[in-house]
Amino acid sequence: MSPSLNKWFNKFIKQLSSLKLAVFVILSLAVISAVGTIYEAKYDATYAQKTVYTSIYMKAVLGLLCINLIFVMVDRWPWKKHHTGFVLAHIGIIIMLIGAFITEKFGIDGSMAFPLGESNRFITVSSQEVNIFASYDNGNPTRVFARAVDFFKDPPTEEKPLVATLGNQEMKITDYYHYAIGKEEFVAGEKINSGPALRVQLQNKFVNMTQWLFKTPGKKLETISLGPAQIVIHDGDFKYEKGNVLSFQPLEGDRLAYKVYLDRTQSLVKSGIVKAGESFNTGWMDATLRLLKYIPNAQRKLIFVKRESPTPRTRSAILVEYNGEKQWVGLNSVIKFFDTDKVYYFSFGNRRIDLGYDIQLADFRVGKYQGTNRAMSYESVVKVPELGEVLISMNEPMKNKGYTFYQASFEQDEQGNPTTSILSVNKDPGRPIKYLGSFLIVLGSIILFYFKRMKFKEMFKRGAHE
Amino acid sequence: MNNRIITMFFLTLLVFPQQHSFAALADPLKTLHIQDGGRIKPFNTFATEALQLVYGRETFKGLPSDEEGKKNESRDAIDILLTWMLIPEHWNEAPIIQIRHNGLKEALGLDPEKTKKTHFSPAELMRNDRLALLIQELNNQREAQEKLDPYFQAVQTLESQISMFQAISTGVALKVLPPSEGSGIKKWFSLNELNGDSQKLFSEITQSFIKLVTMQISAPKPEEIKKVQQELKVAVEKFKEFARKQDPQAYGEEKLVELEVHLKDFHPFQKAWIAYLLATLFAVMAFVSNKSWAKNTAWVFMFLGLALHSYGMFLRVYIIGRPPVSNMYETVIWVPWGTVFFSMILTKLRKNYLLFICSGLVATLCLILSDLSPVVLDSSLQPLEPVLRDNFWLVVHVIIIVTSYAAFFLAFALGDILLIYFLRGEEKYKAVIKEGVHGIYRSIQIGIVLLALGIITGGIWADYSWGRFWGWDPKETWALIALLGYVAVLHGRLAGWVKDFGMTTAAVITFSLVIMAWYGVNFVLGAGLHTYGFGAGGVEYVSAFVAFHILYVVYVATVRKSRLSKKD
């Protein structure tokens, strides 16, 4: 090496090992993380993960941190006794980052849902995929298309759709909403495969409720509860039993016959004929019923309304186009496209990993705080091949074949009875490495500050002697 | 008959000040066991919590309609609650429900003259046409699982205030009798469900109480009151004996209930901050004059404060049977304990009484704060969320992190006070500043080691119960950000960029990160897995506190800079 190159090289090393770089890296890390937490508060954890914590900026800063840590230790070579703490703490950080990297690359982090008494063998993870199955003449569906997707990163558009070629036809995904709320809509359709749909509003001084009522084709009647009453739509005869009931029967054209029954007298108190836009007094608590809309031949359609930020109700949705027909599909659901000789099933959902064996939920128990509905603890008893019955409770996971199963949460019905137990499942090959790193960091910092104290003491002593 | 007499009592409540220094007429009722909020609590606690919710205070200060100037003495919550039950129709017309949200008052069309009225009567609210609509809207929001904004939170509070008042006046809220052993029912019977013996026994309690109340009109002698109170006590004991016999296990330990009443009545945290304040004053004397009697007195009061403080924490832990790590209130109590503890060690080592002044101020401030706003800092003893139960790592992790905040708080207070010395003259007070900066340095070091350890033990806990060592949860991320902030400061000092003044300002400014991790994540961001500590309120005060300190640092820095440039 020529002397000038050598000098340049030394200078470069000095830069990479400098405290200036260290402080810059530390502060950048702090700022980026802070931005991440704001995103998480505004949107959700996934959003923050994808835009900040696993972003290229974060990776660059962490890379720079590793380089800085390595070079600062090279720079202090040969290490002396008082370097112990410094070296341990810094090596600890590098080891921890290696552990984190291994977790991200090779780890699995997912969940499994078990309805009471049922089995499951698939771990659901956060990455998503699109599958299309075809079924000819009502035969068994076969998979004709599969693709792992990340629509958050590369959203499909009208101009740049995701295309699945099926024979000589194309199925296209042309739009993506990251946060959307599914909404039922009723549109006027053909006479076949349709039923009457009406939108009713019940209003008095205290309540104001609006709801759709739709009779699925083939069914005799459909009932909904609206405040103090039951609203019924029916074909042919309707037999009154009890309660406040309002019945509707479609007539020719845009008219409906209605009948009002009163619970108190157990009898018919009122009847008449209405059309959309008209209203009448029901006689229950002085409430007026208004028929806002009436579609004699309606079809149910699921649409998605875009939201800027998430609520527990939102999910992602995509717009799929085939043969000129457009349908929305929400995450983890399936839609159908009918063709002349076949049916296509289009599924959009989280990727699933096959465990290779079934796990059955044998029992699920919720302990509650006395006299309340607040959960105190909950636990699942699962049946696993080779292990038999195993109890999984909060803070007491089950380990099997490299995976660990944790009791994460549960779902319950309106009466507060549990319906589904949710386990979080994961595999983390980086775990021991991260633990080693943590241990070294803490040990290193304690030694570091202890030596500092000794050095200070010496300084003070010397100061006193001089 | 009874009703009329109690009505008269009600009127005396409004008109006459309390004539006797008895804490509460119904004092013996304080230890009646009530099942509420998932645990067994004394009636005393139930009553203060209920009054706090409905009326906005733990004691009753008379009605706003009373004449100004003739201040009523405060009355105990249990007395008030009992009369809610006995003569609900009168309280129904009294303005006792507190509404503070102006938007809600407007929506209800209350107080159109904008007289800043804050209390309204239950009847007035129930008559209000718009209330049902608001509650309907609230239910729609809940059904759609939307995040409730402050307006709907206020509607929600009002809903629970009204239902609490009604549940008390009808007796539904007071669950006093456990079902008999082996019945398999966990829910206790409330007052309106009592029958036979239990009803008779409880009516003896009410009879004695009514007697006590009616005596008030004729200005009785203290001994007479004592006598009837004794009667009441006997009635309460009899009822308790009966209830305990139903299911001794479920009825709960008498000792715990008594201790809880004692905790509320004795109020150790209030006494602790008075001791800390005195310790601070003597530490100031010790610091200024260097007199040994002042030093010793400061130590005595510091120890006294710490003893009272520890006693209070011990009581809470003992009563609820878990470590004090679940909400903001408990950390606001814990942090000053740590600060005082560290300052004692450092003062012992370096004989620097500036540390005492700082920790004394921090402790006084925190403990006063913990008392000041029960809406923001909920002092009630709550059972734990499932994830927080029975876990060693959890306890270790929270305690270590909160203790690290205590060390950073000490550094912050030192920085605050040293800035004054920088203003008064850097040269003149060189020795004080050197010693103070050393204290800051030490505190930050302690803080860093503890915070790093706390974050890692948190990781171990998360790994153990969720299978995730690090998940970028906002609470843990902000703890990391605070750690990075302080680590950056120490590296800066190593490089020689951060000298004494830099260290002082850094101690003040970097503490903002701790405030964000400690308070901000729960109260401002309100996101993430640590939802069990979430709350609302006080944001404007905390922001003002942080902003004030930043301005203070900027001001001192500017003054110092102009001085230095003049010198050159």
Side-chain angles (χ1 to χ4, degrees):
Chain A
M1 237 188 271
S2 73
S4 73
L5 194 66
N6 206 349
K7 210 171 133 194
W8 182 87
F9 184 73
N10 280 341
K11 212 173 151 189
F12 182 66
I13 298 281
K14 266 272 165 299
Q15 280 299 323
L16 286 181
S17 65
S18 71
L19 270 167
K20 225 181 245 167
L21 183 63
V23 172
F24 169 75
V25 166
I26 294 169
L27 292 180
S28 313
L29 215 51
V31 171
I32 294 175
S33 309
V35 172
T37 62
I38 293 167
Y39 278 5
E40 170 152 1
K42 199 164 171 216
Y43 302 103
D44 57 17
T46 325
Y47 192 98
Q49 289 273 4
K50 292 205 169 183
T51 51
V52 181
Y53 301 130
T54 57
S55 69
I56 185 82
Y57 310 104
M58 195 66 173
K59 283 184 180 132
V61 171
L62 288 176
L64 218 51
L65 174 65
C66 281
I67 293 171
N68 187 231
L69 288 170
I70 292 168
F71 277 93
V72 77
M73 285 190 297
V74 169
D75 188 61
R76 299 291 192 278
W77 187 266
W79 298 334
K80 303 209 178 58
K81 200 180 150 200
H82 71 267
H83 283 132
T84 318
F86 152 83
V87 170
L88 287 181
H90 287 87
I91 286 183
I93 297 172
I94 295 176
I95 291 180
M96 184 109 138
L97 289 174
I98 292 173
F101 177 75
I102 291 175
T103 304
E104 204 196 305
K105 268 269 155 325
F106 306 106
I108 291 171
D109 189 2
S111 67
M112 293 175 87
F114 294 87
L116 284 179
E118 287 182 28
S119 301
N120 191 354
R121 62 187 288 144
F122 295 103
I123 306 169
T124 307
V125 296
S126 63
S127 57
Q128 296 165 353
E129 59 187 10
V130 160
N131 285 300
I132 303 171
F133 300 87
S135 158
Y136 295 88
D137 305 322
N138 294 323
N140 274 343
T142 49
R143 179 144 72 179
V144 291
F145 180 83
R147 177 78 58 88
V149 291
D150 186 350
F151 289 136
F152 182 80
K153 227 169 99 193
D154 315 297
T157 56
E158 196 77 58
E159 293 78 36
K160 257 181 61 193
L162 177 72
V163 181
T165 312
L166 307 166
N168 50 9
Q169 293 266 43
E170 280 184 342
M171 201 175 276
K172 286 194 287 192
I173 302 167
T174 53
D175 206 352
Y176 171 71
Y177 292 164
H178 188 58
Y179 302 120
I181 289 187
K183 235 173 110 181
E184 265 186 353
E185 210 178 49
F186 297 93
V187 288
E190 326 261 312
K191 272 242 155 122
I192 28 158
N193 251 334
S194 68
L198 34 129
R199 192 157 170 76
V200 289
Q201 182 189 35
L202 192 67
Q203 192 179 17
N204 70 2
K205 241 167 74 183
F206 305 107
V207 287
N208 183 355
M209 284 172 291
T210 313
Q211 215 160 350
W212 273 105
L213 176 59
F214 174 65
K215 192 175 77 63
T216 4
K219 265 181 112 175
K220 273 246 165 295
L221 78 159
E222 195 84 49
T223 309
I224 53 161
S225 299
L226 195 65
Q230 303 279 319
I231 316 268
V232 179
I233 183 160
H234 61 98
D235 267 341
D237 288 340
F238 168 71
K239 208 175 147 279
Y240 172 74
E241 278 168 7
K242 61 172 191 313
N244 292 324
V245 175
L246 170 58
S247 76
F248 283 106
Q249 185 180 17
L251 301 174
E252 278 303 301
D254 57 353
R255 282 156 194 285
L256 288 156
Y258 71 86
K259 285 184 175 130
V260 183
Y261 302 89
L262 194 62
D263 187 42
R264 194 154 36 81
T265 56
Q266 298 271 324
S267 64
L268 179 74
V269 287
K270 201 169 185 179
S271 64
I273 288 172
V274 287
K275 1 188 239 203
E278 292 177 348
S279 58
F280 56 89
N281 193 316
T282 59
W284 313 311
M285 295 163 68
D286 208 26
T288 306
L289 189 127
R290 183 180 294 275
L291 183 64
L292 295 171
K293 218 171 180 184
Y294 171 50
I295 308 167
N297 301 307
Q299 269 169 341
R300 197 198 297 262
K301 203 178 165 191
L302 187 65
I303 59 154
F304 280 87
V305 183
K306 191 175 184 173
R307 293 279 304 240
E308 284 313 312
S309 55
T311 75
R313 285 259 177 110
T314 54
R315 53 179 174 157
S316 331
I318 50 178
L319 183 63
V320 190
E321 226 180 298
Y322 179 73
N323 240 346
E325 187 190 352
K326 285 183 183 180
Q327 283 192 61
W328 279 100
V329 54
L331 187 66
N332 290 325
S333 47
V334 180
I335 47 170
K336 286 185 269 189
F337 285 99
F338 294 95
D339 211 334
T340 44
D341 58 339
K342 57 189 172 278
V343 184
Y344 282 119
Y345 297 90
F346 180 100
S347 91
F348 168 47
N350 289 106
R351 199 163 67 86
R352 304 196 307 170
I353 296 169
D354 191 346
L355 266 179
Y357 55 91
D358 275 309
I359 294 180
Q360 195 202 344
L361 180 68
D363 196 9
F364 181 73
R365 297 184 284 255
V366 184
K368 304 220 160 139
Y369 281 109
Q370 50 173 289
T372 68
N373 235 339
R374 272 163 68 186
M376 179 164 79
S377 61
Y378 35 98
E379 51 191 32
S380 302
V381 178
V382 292
K383 269 192 201 144
V384 188
E386 290 164 50
L387 289 180
E389 287 204 348
V390 183
L391 177 76
I392 303 174
S393 64
M394 214 103 215
N395 301 329
E396 287 301 332
M398 166 181 86
K399 287 198 162 77
N400 192 29
K401 298 186 177 162
Y403 287 102
T404 317
F405 301 78
Y406 305 85
Q407 181 69 59
S409 58
F410 67 96
E411 285 166 7
Q412 56 188 16
D413 60 16
E414 278 167 17
Q415 281 77 47
N417 300 314
T419 55
T420 306
S421 170
I422 295 166
L423 302 182
S424 97
V425 184
N426 100 16
K427 188 181 204 170
D428 186 0
R431 179 174 291 141
I433 303 170
K434 282 186 280 191
Y435 275 58
L436 176 67
S438 319
F439 175 71
L440 292 180
I441 291 172
V442 174
L443 185 70
S445 346
I446 292 172
I447 295 176
L448 188 68
F449 292 149
Y450 184 71
F451 268 104
K452 274 273 157 56
R453 196 174 128 76
M454 303 300 284
K455 241 165 89 185
F456 266 109
K457 266 196 178 161
E458 272 167 38
M459 254 163 57
F460 273 102
K461 262 189 210 153
R462 250 182 279 142
H465 286 303
E466 272 160 18
Chain B
M1 166 69 188
N2 279 343
N3 254 358
R4 222 172 61 221
I5 294 166
I6 301 171
T7 308
M8 285 171 79
F9 168 67
F10 179 77
L11 293 174
T12 61
L13 264 184
L14 300 185
V15 181
F16 301 111
Q18 204 161 2
Q19 289 160 340
H20 304 287
S21 53
F22 288 107
L25 286 173
D27 202 63
L29 258 169
K30 278 186 175 176
T31 56
L32 188 72
H33 299 215
I34 306 273
Q35 186 191 45
D36 177 56
R39 69 184 187 100
I40 294 148
K41 51 176 80 157
F43 185 41
N44 186 40
T45 303
F46 175 83
T48 42
E49 284 172 6
L51 197 64
Q52 174 69 52
L53 171 72
V54 175
Y55 176 70
R57 291 182 60 98
E58 289 194 346
T59 49
F60 188 71
K61 285 252 180 199
L63 297 169
S65 57
D66 298 353
E67 274 175 62
E68 290 255 348
K70 201 174 76 183
K71 275 260 164 155
N72 276 331
E73 269 178 62
S74 58
R75 278 166 201 277
D76 247 70
I78 52 168
D79 288 354
I80 300 300
L81 248 72
L82 284 170
T83 58
W84 282 6
M85 240 165 56
L86 294 169
I87 40 161
E89 63 280 10
H90 287 274
W91 285 104
N92 212 7
E93 296 293 339
I96 47 166
I97 294 186
Q98 185 192 40
I99 303 178
R100 289 199 308 201
H101 195 277
N102 287 327
L104 177 58
K105 275 192 250 176
E106 225 166 88
L108 286 169
L110 298 167
D111 191 21
E113 292 98 46
K114 301 232 168 6
T115 51
K116 299 221 166 124
K117 224 170 112 182
T118 50
H119 288 76
F120 305 89
S121 76
E124 168 183 17
L125 291 167
M126 290 308 293
R127 277 196 298 266
N128 195 309
D129 289 349
R130 303 183 204 181
L131 183 66
L133 279 177
L134 290 188
I135 289 175
Q136 179 73 39
E137 270 176 52
L138 172 69
N139 284 333
N140 290 345
Q141 291 262 322
R142 280 192 198 133
E143 241 167 68
Q145 297 180 311
E146 301 277 344
K147 227 180 199 172
L148 297 182
D149 61 9
Y151 169 76
F152 278 108
Q153 283 170 11
V155 179
Q156 184 167 267
T157 308
L158 180 60
E159 189 193 23
S160 51
Q161 285 172 311
I162 293 174
S163 66
M164 178 58 103
F165 175 76
Q166 286 175 340
I168 290 170
S169 52
T170 53
V172 179
L174 289 162
K175 301 204 193 73
V176 289
L177 184 71
S180 59
E181 210 173 346
S183 65
I185 306 168
K186 294 259 174 68
K187 202 171 158 190
W188 288 18
F189 296 118
S190 55
L191 281 185
N192 59 322
E193 291 166 328
L194 299 184
N195 53 37
D197 286 346
S198 60
Q199 196 181 27
K200 215 169 11 176
L201 284 169
F202 201 86
S203 73
E204 274 173 41
I205 296 179
T206 21
Q207 292 308 325
S208 310
F209 177 68
I210 290 166
K211 213 164 168 190
L212 265 174
V213 168
T214 44
M215 287 167 70
Q216 295 301 302
I217 299 158
S218 55
K221 292 198 186 81
E223 335 45 292
E224 290 174 49
I225 295 179
K226 274 229 172 84
K227 205 180 128 223
V228 186
Q229 274 189 329
Q230 189 57 38
E231 261 173 50
L232 178 62
K233 194 173 176 180
V234 172
V236 171
E237 287 305 324
K238 263 160 79 185
F239 181 82
K240 272 160 81 170
E241 201 181 309
F242 178 83
R244 184 179 297 284
K245 247 197 287 181
Q246 302 300 309
D247 188 346
Q249 190 81 46
Y251 200 59
E253 275 185 63
E254 191 60 36
K255 194 173 63 187
L256 293 184
V257 167
E258 273 167 11
L259 275 179
E260 192 170 340
V261 173
H262 166 67
L263 173 66
K264 197 125 225 166
D265 287 352
F266 182 63
H267 208 335
F269 297 124
Q270 186 184 42
K271 297 190 168 64
W273 73 251
I274 295 170
Y276 285 141
L277 192 61
L278 289 170
T280 311
L281 294 177
F282 283 104
V284 170
M285 272 184 232
F287 185 67
V288 173
S289 70
N290 209 21
K291 291 249 167 44
S292 64
W293 64 266
K295 286 180 190 171
N296 292 339
T297 323
W299 273 101
V300 168
F301 277 114
M302 218 44 155
F303 266 115
L304 184 67
L306 196 69
L308 285 161
H309 195 164
S310 311
Y311 177 61
M313 292 206 300
F314 167 78
L315 278 182
R316 279 186 72 94
V317 171
Y318 187 73
I319 292 165
I320 197 81
R322 61 168 171 79
V325 289
S326 77
N327 65 14
M328 199 68 198
Y329 175 84
E330 288 176 343
T331 57
V332 171
I333 296 286
W334 182 278
V335 163
W337 192 93
T339 307
V340 169
F341 181 75
F342 288 133
S343 79
M344 281 180 154
I345 294 177
L346 293 174
T347 308
K348 180 90 193 130
L349 286 174
R350 309 208 46 103
K351 312 275 179 270
N352 182 3
Y353 285 82
L354 197 58
L355 288 159
F356 260 14
I357 300 174
C358 295
S359 69
L361 286 176
V362 166
T364 311
L365 175 78
C366 284
L367 292 183
I368 290 180
L369 263 184
S370 75
D371 242 7
L372 214 57
S373 53
V375 180
V376 180
L377 300 172
D378 180 10
S379 68
S380 64
L381 295 155
Q382 296 278 355
L384 279 184
E385 294 288 327
V387 264
L388 299 183
R389 284 172 60 86
D390 312 322
N391 194 293
F392 172 75
W393 286 114
L394 158 81
V395 174
V396 170
H397 132 78
V398 181
I399 286 180
I400 294 176
I401 287 196
V402 173
T403 314
S404 82
Y405 295 168
F408 292 132
F409 213 153
L410 185 60
F412 164 83
L414 269 168
D416 246 7
I417 290 181
L418 284 192
L419 282 177
I420 300 173
Y421 285 99
F422 275 103
L423 267 187
R424 289 172 65 187
E426 211 168 330
E427 289 299 315
K428 207 169 140 198
Y429 295 101
K430 213 169 174 178
V432 175
I433 289 173
K434 263 262 145 352
E435 197 51 44
V437 168
H438 181 80
I440 290 179
Y441 191 64
R442 274 273 161 260
S443 308
I444 290 182
Q445 277 186 347
I446 296 172
I448 283 181
V449 171
L450 287 174
L451 189 52
L453 192 64
I455 291 173
I456 287 169
T457 45
I460 294 174
W461 174 50
D463 191 16
Y464 184 64
S465 48
W466 292 317
R468 207 164 302 151
F469 188 83
W470 183 263
W472 293 108
D473 179 73
K475 193 88 180 165
E476 61 192 35
T477 307
W478 270 100
L480 177 71
I481 294 168
L483 179 68
L484 290 171
Y486 284 103
V487 167
V489 171
L490 285 200
H491 279 79
R493 183 162 177 91
L494 207 61
W497 306 326
V498 176
K499 300 214 171 60
D500 287 351
F501 184 69
M503 207 63 193
T504 309
T505 54
V508 176
I509 299 282
T510 321
F511 191 68
S512 312
L513 300 178
V514 172
I515 292 181
M516 189 63 198
W518 182 13
Y519 169 88
V521 174
N522 300 37
F523 287 73
V524 182
L525 284 183
L529 291 166
H530 290 72
T531 38
Y532 26 81
F534 283 5
V539 175
E540 58 275 27
Y541 298 104
V542 177
S543 318
F545 180 82
V546 171
F548 168 77
H549 279 95
I550 290 171
L551 285 178
Y552 175 45
V553 167
V554 170
Y555 170 70
V556 179
T558 335
V559 169
R560 182 172 174 266
K561 204 170 170 198
S562 72
R563 259 188 218 156
L564 288 180
S565 62
K566 252 184 227 154
K567 228 196 259 173
D568 287 340

